[in-house]
């Protein structure tokens, strides 16, 4: 069904209506088989990393191809089947610098946009574009959600390294401030090598499980995710927090985000990225009450309070 006649190494879907429809039908069949076993799903993306010619299973879709596949085959097929008609359908599923191209191409076409709920994003090249670009996308397409669907620290397991957790925090915090509704870790848990992975693509994970005993280790990344997920719970709303008294250097080391949770409480999550220095800070609520804290070096701190 692919132009390169291989499972991996990119290649496009053969430009033939029967192949496009067959591929759409395959999605439905996948979910139908799981449904027979009582397994339900929330959403699905059209294609993982559609610009990557990976050695593992991969297929190329440029933004125009995703637009045409959505409106002519995939969207209609998914919405017309009772097993898949309520799934959240997402485009892209690739790095942030491609968000503008794919969202504008697909969402500016009424016939394709009506089938698609949101845009899936990976974090692997976030530094290529500023997170504020996501706010621009939201403002252009406010009825579509932005969801980070894959992230991990690459290069195998690095046991106990705080920098791995800090890397999570420095990527998660700014995107949550720019209309991203969630952030998904690629791996719930891995073995001490960073697998299993048939393509030897070994990476890191918040939880490492022993191959030889009934033991597991929670890494610093686990706690980074916990400081976000435990306190900024579903249906929370991100809000601004006003920071003063920091010089330009310290601003790069003390990062924070704020939200209001469904109970109406304020939540502040702070990352002290400085590996050597602790900092005193004061949290002031809207009534002027003050909470004084000392942020230890290389630390995460979460505060939940009511005004």
């Amino acid at each position: 069904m692919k132009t390169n006649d291989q499972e991996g190494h990119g290649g496009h879907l053969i430009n033939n209506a029967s192949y496009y429809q067959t591929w759409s039908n395959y999605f439905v069949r996948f979910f139908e088989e799981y449904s027979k076993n009582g397994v339900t799903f929330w959403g699905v993306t059209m294609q993982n990393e559609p610009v990557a010619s990976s050695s593992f299973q991969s297929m190329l879709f440029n933004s125009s191809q995703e637009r045409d596949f959505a409106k002519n085959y995939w969207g209609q097929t998914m919405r017309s089947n009772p097993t898949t008609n309520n799934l959240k359908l997402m485009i892209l599923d690739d790095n942030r610098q491609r968000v503008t191209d794919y969202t504008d191409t697909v969402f500016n076409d009424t016939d394709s946009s009506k089938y698609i709920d949101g845009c899936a994003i990976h974090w692997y090249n976030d530094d290529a574009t500023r997170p504020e670009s996501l706010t621009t996308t939201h403002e252009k397409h406010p009825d579509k959600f932005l969801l980070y669907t894959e992230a991990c620290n690459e290069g195998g397991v690095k046991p106990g390294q705080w920098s791995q957790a800090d890397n999570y925090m420095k990527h998660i915090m700014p995107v949550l401030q720019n209309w991203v509704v969630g952030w998904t870790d690629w791996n719930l848990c891995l073995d001490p090598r960073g697998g299993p992975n048939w393509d030897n693509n070994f990476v890191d994970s918040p939880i490492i499980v022993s191959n030889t005993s009934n033991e597991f280790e929670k890494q610093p990344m686990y706690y980074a995710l916990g400081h976000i997920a435990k306190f900024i719970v579903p249906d929370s709303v991100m809000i601004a927090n006003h920071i003063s008294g920091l010089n330009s250097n310290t601003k790069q080391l003390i990062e924070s985000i704020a939200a209001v949770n469904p109970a109406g409480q304020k939540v502040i999550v702070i990352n002290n990225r400085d590996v050597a220095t602790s900092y005193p800070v004061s949290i002031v609520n809207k009534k002027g009450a003050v909470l004084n804290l000392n942020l230890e070096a290389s630390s995460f701190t979460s505060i939940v309070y009511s005004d």
Side-chain angles (χ1 to χ4, degrees):
M1 293 177 62
K2 289 171 58 185
T3 54
N4 65 351
D5 200 29
Q6 301 178 55
E7 287 188 0
H9 304 286
H12 294 268
L13 197 62
I14 293 174
N15 189 19
N16 181 291
S18 64
Y19 287 109
Y20 279 95
Q21 188 58 57
T22 297
W23 187 230
S24 300
N25 294 343
Y26 182 86
F27 275 85
V28 172
R29 178 67 182 274
F30 174 91
F31 291 107
E32 286 178 335
E33 293 303 311
Y34 270 97
S35 179
K36 291 176 183 177
N37 291 279
V39 180
T40 59
F41 291 81
W42 174 83
V44 62
T45 66
M46 182 183 293
Q47 174 63 43
N48 176 65
E49 298 184 349
V51 300
S53 297
S54 305
S55 57
F56 46 83
Q57 292 94 336
S58 57
M59 184 162 62
L60 304 178
F61 271 98
N62 62 35
S63 59
S64 298
Q65 289 171 322
E66 288 212 348
R67 176 198 63 204
D68 295 342
F69 187 45
K71 68 181 178 181
N72 295 324
Y73 302 96
W74 191 61
Q76 296 179 39
T77 302
M78 298 292 277
R79 294 303 184 209
S80 63
N81 185 278
T83 303
T84 58
N85 64 352
N86 289 318
L87 287 174
K88 301 297 183 182
L89 303 184
M90 291 165 275
I91 58 166
L92 187 57
D93 211 15
D94 210 323
N95 296 332
R96 187 164 76 201
Q97 73 266 32
R98 306 188 186 281
V99 167
T100 298
D101 173 28
Y102 277 73
T103 55
D104 285 352
T105 300
V106 177
F107 298 154
N108 286 340
D109 185 295
T110 303
D111 291 330
S112 60
S113 180
K114 66 182 179 183
Y115 294 116
I116 307 301
D117 299 287
C119 179
I121 309 168
H122 294 187
W123 81 329
Y124 300 106
N125 200 23
D126 270 3
D127 291 340
T129 52
R130 293 180 57 80
E132 289 80 7
S133 66
L134 299 168
T135 289
T136 301
T137 295
H138 167 77
E139 291 172 346
K140 288 191 289 186
H141 312 288
D143 58 330
K144 310 297 184 182
F145 64 78
L146 303 173
L147 174 66
Y148 267 63
T149 52
E150 182 186 315
C152 76
N153 283 311
E154 300 178 279
V157 176
K158 298 178 175 60
Q161 283 198 15
W162 189 264
S163 60
Q164 299 285 81
D166 174 67
N167 198 36
Y168 269 28
M169 276 291 200
K170 79 171 186 177
H171 284 86
I172 297 172
M173 295 171 79
V175 302
L176 291 181
Q177 292 177 308
N178 284 279
W179 295 97
V180 167
V181 299
W183 193 93
T184 309
D185 197 306
W186 189 11
N187 300 288
L188 176 65
C189 57
L190 294 173
D191 66 23
R193 191 181 181 189
N197 188 292
W198 70 266
D199 199 43
N200 296 320
N201 181 25
F202 299 114
V203 297
D204 210 347
S205 176
I207 299 175
I208 301 300
V209 180
S210 172
N211 287 326
T212 58
S213 64
N214 293 323
E215 296 180 347
F216 66 90
E217 178 181 357
K218 293 184 286 187
Q219 300 230 73
M221 288 177 288
Y222 174 90
Y223 297 98
L225 292 175
H227 272 271
I228 301 289
K230 183 176 181 179
F231 301 107
I232 303 180
V233 297
D235 297 323
S236 296
V237 177
M238 303 304 298
I239 59 174
N241 58 332
H242 301 286
I243 302 170
S244 62
L246 300 180
N247 60 40
S248 58
N249 182 57
T250 308
K251 284 181 179 180
Q252 304 300 314
L253 296 171
I254 306 297
E255 298 179 343
S256 64
I257 56 174
V260 178
N261 68 23
Q265 298 171 307
K266 303 291 175 55
V267 179
I268 300 175
V269 181
I270 306 173
N271 178 17
N272 178 8
R273 304 190 63 204
D274 196 318
V275 299
T277 306
S278 61
Y279 294 93
V281 298
S282 297
I283 310 298
V284 183
N285 72 5
K286 66 180 182 181
K287 295 183 178 180
V290 179
L291 172 66
N292 296 312
L293 299 171
N294 187 59
L295 305 177
E296 295 181 10
S298 297
S299 68
F300 308 134
T301 303
S302 293
I303 304 103
V304 180
Y305 67 93
S306 298
D307 283 317

